[in-house]
Amino acid sequence: NAGVTQTPKFRILKIGQSMTLQCTQDMNHNYMYWYRQDPGMGLKLIYYSVGAGITDKGEVPNGYNVSRSTTEDFPLRLELAAPSQTSVYFCASSYSRQGGNYEQYFGPGTRLTVT
Amino acid sequence: SQKIEQNSEALNIQEGKTATLTCNYTNYSPAYLQWYRQDPGRGPVFLLLIRENEKEKRKERLKVTFDTTLKQSLFHITASQPADSATYLCALANAGNNRKLIWGLGTSLAVNP
């Protein structure tokens, strides 16, 4: 199993450009998450999905969009990039079972700079 | 307000000693609490989970305790090694809304040889 994979690893965007961060998991997990992590600020949830076709907002969804057309893929779309979106982005997945979702498995992250 | 707090100051200990990291929370009713390790430039890696009705969990040199009266979890690494140097994150799942984890900021641990 490759686990959770993310592309690209690094990206520099100009203000106003758009891009899609890709995330794929091969563990057949139903739950998937997008986080951003800024220095000293901890992990902030952007969006999450409980299954194909179902997504919901997290703490900091503004400026982002997601879709979940398959169990494996959960892309994150940035429209009109702003310097405030400079961050490291992590995708994660977990398997829900009776009693709750347990451990989350994280991808290696995408380091995004908007200038 | 709801808060989850970890030691903000880095913890420096000597190799072989026990490292103890703290996670405190207020105004949550956790269904369970998890601990993760994060190395620089990498995503967090799951270590241990402890449920609200459990007092203690162990895995090799790791031990987690959970005191719902004190609203605190302690994470212990015994016989610490330089390879244990990393940032350790706690995260809790609130009862009734355990689709999402609420994350602490993490504590940086440095184990000196």
Side-chain angles (χ1 to χ4, degrees):
Chain A
N1 283 355
V4 180
T5 57
Q6 292 182 238
T7 56
K9 285 187 168 49
F10 304 93
R11 182 73 185 267
I12 298 174
L13 278 182
K14 294 191 185 304
I15 294 171
Q17 288 185 321
S18 301
M19 77 164 294
T20 298
L21 281 66
Q22 301 292 345
C23 176
T24 300
Q25 53 92 9
D26 63 358
M27 298 173 282
N28 201 33
H29 285 172
N30 47 354
Y31 279 58
M32 294 187 76
Y33 309 83
W34 274 107
Y35 294 95
R36 60 177 288 172
Q37 188 175 40
D38 302 314
M41 296 301 290
L43 287 163
K44 299 290 185 186
L45 183 64
I46 305 171
Y47 272 96
Y48 68 103
S49 169
V50 302
I54 307 169
T55 62
D56 206 349
K57 296 178 181 178
E59 299 173 74
V60 290
N62 291 343
Y64 307 95
N65 277 300
V66 294
S67 59
R68 183 100 181 267
S69 56
T70 66
T71 299
E72 295 79 18
D73 300 306
F74 191 39
L76 178 71
R77 177 86 178 158
L78 277 72
E79 305 282 2
L80 298 175
S84 60
Q85 294 178 304
T86 294
S87 189
V88 180
Y89 291 84
F90 289 105
C91 178
S93 70
S94 69
Y95 183 68
S96 72
R97 61 202 87 175
Q98 191 173 8
N101 309 337
Y102 298 158
E103 63 269 25
Q104 294 189 10
Y105 293 80
F106 282 78
T110 294
R111 187 174 296 273
L112 176 68
T113 302
V114 182
T115 62
Chain B
S1 62
Q2 294 178 316
K3 287 192 295 186
I4 179 168
E5 294 180 318
Q6 297 185 248
N7 315 59
S8 57
E9 291 185 15
L11 183 62
N12 283 274
I13 64 168
Q14 282 302 117
E15 182 175 8
K17 300 291 187 186
T18 296
T20 298
L21 285 69
T22 305
C23 179
N24 295 300
Y25 61 91
T26 54
N27 295 323
Y28 286 112
S29 297
Y32 54 85
L33 191 143
Q34 301 182 14
W35 285 88
Y36 289 74
R37 169 185 173 138
Q38 187 174 23
D39 292 287
R42 293 181 175 267
V45 174
F46 171 78
L47 296 174
L48 279 169
L49 178 152
I50 188 164
R51 299 179 196 283
E52 52 87 23
N53 61 352
E54 296 175 322
K55 296 290 186 191
E56 182 178 299
K57 265 290 188 53
R58 291 176 184 261
K59 179 183 174 184
E60 298 171 352
R61 294 184 296 111
L62 309 180
K63 184 178 84 171
V64 174
T65 62
F66 198 8
D67 188 328
T68 53
T69 301
L70 290 178
K71 298 187 187 302
Q72 181 180 78
S73 175
L74 299 178
F75 177 79
H76 307 271
I77 306 175
T78 59
S80 60
Q81 304 165 1
D84 295 325
S85 300
T87 295
Y88 291 86
L89 307 172
C90 72
L92 66 83
N94 209 19
N97 187 11
N98 57 17
R99 293 180 166 187
K100 301 180 285 187
L101 291 176
I102 300 111
W103 294 84
L105 296 184
T107 298
S108 175
L109 172 67
V111 181
N112 304 308

